[in-house]
Amino acid sequence: MAWGKRADVIVHEREPFNAEPPRAALAAAHRTPLDTWYVRNHGPVPGIDPAGWRLRVGGRVARPLELSLAELRGRFTAHELVATLQCAGNRRAGLAQVRDIPGEAPWGPGATATASWTGVRLADVLAAAGADPDAGHVAFEAPDVSRIASPPQRFGGSIPAAKARGGEVLLAWAMNDEPLPAVHGAPVRAVVPGYIGARSVKWLDRITVQDHPSDNFFQATSYRLLPPEADPAAAGPGDGISLGPLALNSDILLPDDGARLRAGPATVRGYALAGDDREVARVDVSADGGRTWTQAELDGPPGPWTWRLWRTSLDLPPGPVTLTARAWDSTAAAQPEHAAHLWNPKGYANNAWARIHVTSV
């Protein structure tokens, strides 16, 4: 399979390469193996010589920087952080069941994954550059050129300066204790925990401190939540709601949708992710479409930047069964019940209750 991915990945597009693993593969471990990680690209993977790569930091800074990879690694203290990334289009297939979403990949629940990331804190680099404390945003740019924009342009985006100064945002060169793979952004990528994956810009080569959000197509126009009646082809910069922090979300990983199971006790497993700096507090699972619920067991200690894998056992009656899951976060917020209430013409931010249909015999 391309780019070192497992043979059973679900390929949504080959060029640019976009793929996700089957849902069951994500249940295997808290840290997702590199061959199981989803890939979301907007243009061809750029060929970058690490020896010639430079990171330029400019804009509202007192001391503009130009750093080689060796200088970045040698000048700043390295940190490791376990964090989950999730595409804004994760679970889009559930919205497409409500109403067609032309021109967008039908991502299932696999456009999310967790890794340990090694790199330097963006906050330390901004401090070294003398970033203006009154600037409101930090913009990222990379050399992958996307034809989704018209005219084609380099991929970019931005995050609020307050988020950029948080110690959790990294400029990473390693993933699961291995060198960052090319398809995941080598030699250096941004890792912005708690935000949509599009803000964790891969192949990062430019950081700009500025007063306003990035005017790059993928910040100003593409990754925005439009109202149901909007025409995405006619949407322009600033239309809709800019996507940043992730919404509380969960899904069922095992059993698979459409599975045939034995009636009686069955193990159900899945993930939940709170987004931003919130934590997953509870997951409820139902075998009767939501009339009654069982509270799932959550793995590991809670943390603000990673998913929590969960499991429970349910007694399945003979016949067709709808398994349903919903998560609650540390602010006592819960997932909305129906995807129909969330439908939007680009299929972003589906965080409705997770549902799969199985047959028990």
Side-chain angles (χ1 to χ4, degrees), residues 3 13 16-18 39-45 107 144 148 183 202-203:
W3 301 108
E13 193 175 9
F17 186 65
N18 287 286
V39 177
R40 175 65 174 112
N41 289 331
H42 300 80
V45 174
W107 293 95
D144 52 321
I148 298 173
V183 76
K202 297 187 284 188
W203 312 293

Side-chain angles (χ1 to χ4, degrees), residues 38 40 42 85-89 140 155-159 189-190 192 195-202 216 218-219 222-223 243-244 246 348:
Y38 77 97
R40 175 65 174 112
H42 300 80
L85 299 186
Q86 186 172 96
C87 178
F140 304 132
F155 186 85
S158 64
I159 58 175
R189 69 173 295 163
V192 185
Y195 271 49
I196 63 168
R199 305 300 175 235
S200 291
V201 174
K202 297 187 284 188
N216 184 277
F218 293 97
Q219 177 80 36
S222 179
Y223 281 96
L243 296 172
L246 286 165
Y348 290 143

Side-chain angles (χ1 to χ4, degrees), residues 9-84:
V9 295
I10 302 161
V11 178
H12 295 299
E13 193 175 9
R14 294 196 175 275
E15 188 61 61
F17 186 65
N18 287 286
E20 65 179 301
R23 67 172 71 220
L26 291 177
H30 185 263
R31 291 199 313 180
T32 310
L34 296 186
D35 69 348
T36 305
W37 257 81
Y38 77 97
V39 177
R40 175 65 174 112
N41 289 331
H42 300 80
V45 174
I48 299 174
D49 177 7
W53 174 87
R54 296 292 183 271
L55 175 65
R56 294 170 175 83
V57 184
R60 292 185 54 173
V61 299
R63 298 174 293 276
L65 300 177
E66 182 173 321
L67 300 165
S68 68
L69 182 58
E71 289 169 334
L72 183 70
R73 299 183 65 161
R75 182 170 174 179
F76 301 96
T77 301
H79 296 272
E80 183 176 340
L81 176 74
V82 179
T84 302

Side-chain angles (χ1 to χ4, degrees), residues 161-234:
K163 177 69 174 179
R165 290 192 293 268
E168 73 275 8
V169 180
L170 297 184
L171 307 180
W173 56 72
M175 185 179 181
N176 286 352
D177 304 316
E178 297 184 27
L180 194 64
V183 76
H184 290 295
V188 171
R189 69 173 295 163
V191 176
V192 185
Y195 271 49
I196 63 168
R199 305 300 175 235
S200 291
V201 174
K202 297 187 284 188
W203 312 293
L204 182 64
D205 65 6
R206 186 175 298 275
I207 298 173
T208 305
V209 181
Q210 56 194 49
D211 294 327
H212 50 81
S214 170
D215 60 5
N216 184 277
F217 172 81
F218 293 97
Q219 177 80 36
T221 302
S222 179
Y223 281 96
R224 302 185 72 90
L225 189 73
L226 299 173
E229 67 277 8
D231 176 4

Side-chain angles (χ1 to χ4, degrees), residues 261-273:
L261 308 171
R262 288 187 177 182
T267 297
V268 183
R269 299 169 63 184
Y271 68 75
L273 178 65

